[in-house]
Amino acid sequence: MQDTSKQYDAVIETCRNLFINKMSDYGSAWRILRLPSLTDQIFIKAQRIRGLQQNDVRKVDEGEQSEFIGIINYCIMALIQLEKGVVEQPDLSTREATILYDEKVATTKQLMQDKNHDYGEAWRDMRVSSLTDLILQKLLRVKQIEDNAGKTIVSEGIDANYQDMINYAIFAMIHLNENN
């Protein structure tokens, strides 16, 4: 069996490096984004992936991997926003943002390991297109929860959905890396 933990860490390293480089370029401008705005950014990325998977012609020279990286990083930003709240002006240094990023990744990776134990790594037998569809489903759930002012009756909250999207996107990246 493949070493999921190492593969997970390798994907996160790529995502984390991009996050840090973008923090160097833009600072923490993303801190002004409200959750629905982050959700919509993730939705755009997931819709583009689905389009790439369904369409024969590509007009922009970026593949699925860069979009999955975007989903992962935007979900981590959303988790940070859930914890810290939205601000009017950028307020985090690259170091502070990276510490928060790493905390969210550690919690999300632990969730993945717990679920992998219970589900027996069933995701390894799934198609990338199915993982994309699950991300889109989670996004629709998050939008509904946002429309319900964050309230649920029996369902997981927004944070659990963002964490699942991170893990599905990482699983998709692992599949894509194995197929290259």
Side-chain angles (χ1 to χ4, degrees), residues 136-146 156 161:
L136 283 163
Q137 177 195 39
K138 292 286 183 180
L139 283 161
L140 293 173
R141 289 178 178 183
V142 167
K143 286 181 171 207
Q144 185 62 54
I145 295 169
E146 288 170 349
E156 297 176 311
N161 284 283

Side-chain angles (χ1 to χ4, degrees), residues 43-55 58 64 67-68 71 128-130 132-137 140:
F43 185 76
I44 289 167
K45 302 247 172 238
Q47 280 291 99
R48 180 155 191 278
I49 293 167
R50 189 168 171 152
L52 291 172
Q53 291 168 346
Q54 293 175 334
N55 299 333
R58 293 183 180 190
E64 294 172 51
E67 302 299 344
F68 280 120
I71 288 171
V128 173
S129 59
S130 296
T132 303
D133 289 349
L134 287 171
I135 290 168
L136 283 163
Q137 177 195 39
L140 293 173

Side-chain angles (χ1 to χ4, degrees), residues 68-83:
F68 280 120
I69 291 168
I71 288 171
I72 293 162
N73 282 345
Y74 277 123
C75 284
I76 292 169
M77 289 176 205
L79 290 169
I80 293 169
Q81 293 295 72
L82 272 170
E83 177 187 322

Side-chain angles (χ1 to χ4, degrees), residues 1-8 11 112-113 115-117 119-131 134 164 167-178:
M1 179 165 36
Q2 298 91 335
D3 188 345
T4 301
S5 182
K6 285 181 183 172
Q7 290 173 304
Y8 192 102
V11 170
M112 179 276 299
Q113 289 172 324
K115 286 187 175 185
N116 256 2
H117 175 270
Y119 287 94
E121 295 204 327
W123 65 269
R124 289 206 177 265
D125 295 322
M126 293 176 68
R127 298 173 183 94
V128 173
S129 59
S130 296
L131 292 164
L134 287 171
D164 285 345
N167 286 332
Y168 293 151
I170 291 172
F171 295 157
M173 293 276 296
I174 291 170
H175 279 312
L176 291 171
N177 289 338
E178 287 177 344

